[in-house]
Amino acid sequence: VLASLLSTIFSVAGGESWLGYGGQEYLSFLSVFMGVVLFYVLLNGAETKLAREAFLTLLVSTSLVGLFTLLTLFGVYILPFAFTHALGFNTIGNPNALISWLIPMCVAGLGLYITDADRGLVNRFMICWVTLVTVIFLVIVDFWALWITFLIGLLMLVGLSRLAPSHFENRRRLLIPLGLGLLAVTFLFIKTPFNVALPIVVSPDINSSFQIASQTLSEDPRILLFGSGSGSFDLDYAKYRPVENNNSPFWNVRFDRAQIHPLTLLA
């Protein structure tokens, strides 16, 4: 919270950093602050009935999003609105954003199952379904950064079993994250066998993203210390984008994030 506050106070983006708008809500100070508040509320109420019901609600909603999106891949559209009939449409965002939501829900669900805290057949079904949907979309999109994110989550889960073995009495269940981790490593080196024409997520490449972040931080000592501010990558891009982009179809597009989130945060 302190890091986000300092970055926001000295931000070049003004209200965009405080409240977030134009797709930058997830980086705003308000979002960070409320996220931390929610974290402490859940942490202190983890053993309450309300917390268990809240997580079950999250599993149900995530399961519905996964089912809804899978149906659109097969041309089955539930909602009557024309804009929902696009291939891969979902209520989270682009395909990468959807998987970025599915991964932590999958890992958290597996944590409940492995520690025997899933409490009931409905929870187990939802955990299995969310895990299946997560793997399906990871294989379809086959983006290395998402596979690595998934692998890190699984390794952290296995690592917790070493740090707090008393919570992991059924050690055989650890074979599930280990197997999924092996799958993630495999798809880091082979291409997906499925060819689904999902909408392409376009962003600056890794090298361009790093150059933009580096040049931004070299502007002056204040920006080197605090960055250009939360939600200000679109301004950084406008200043330091590669000149060759002017000869591309995206000459008039101002990207608001780097290809991977750490480089967006770096700026």
Side-chain angles (χ1 to χ4, degrees), residues 247-261:
N247 296 322
S248 75
F250 304 103
W251 64 271
N252 64 340
V253 176
R254 183 185 289 187
F255 292 100
D256 62 0
R257 65 198 70 191
Q259 187 178 90
I260 57 174
H261 190 57

Side-chain angles (χ1 to χ4, degrees), residues 8-20:
T8 301
I9 289 173
F10 296 103
S11 173
V12 299
E16 197 170 10
S17 293
W18 287 104
L19 303 177

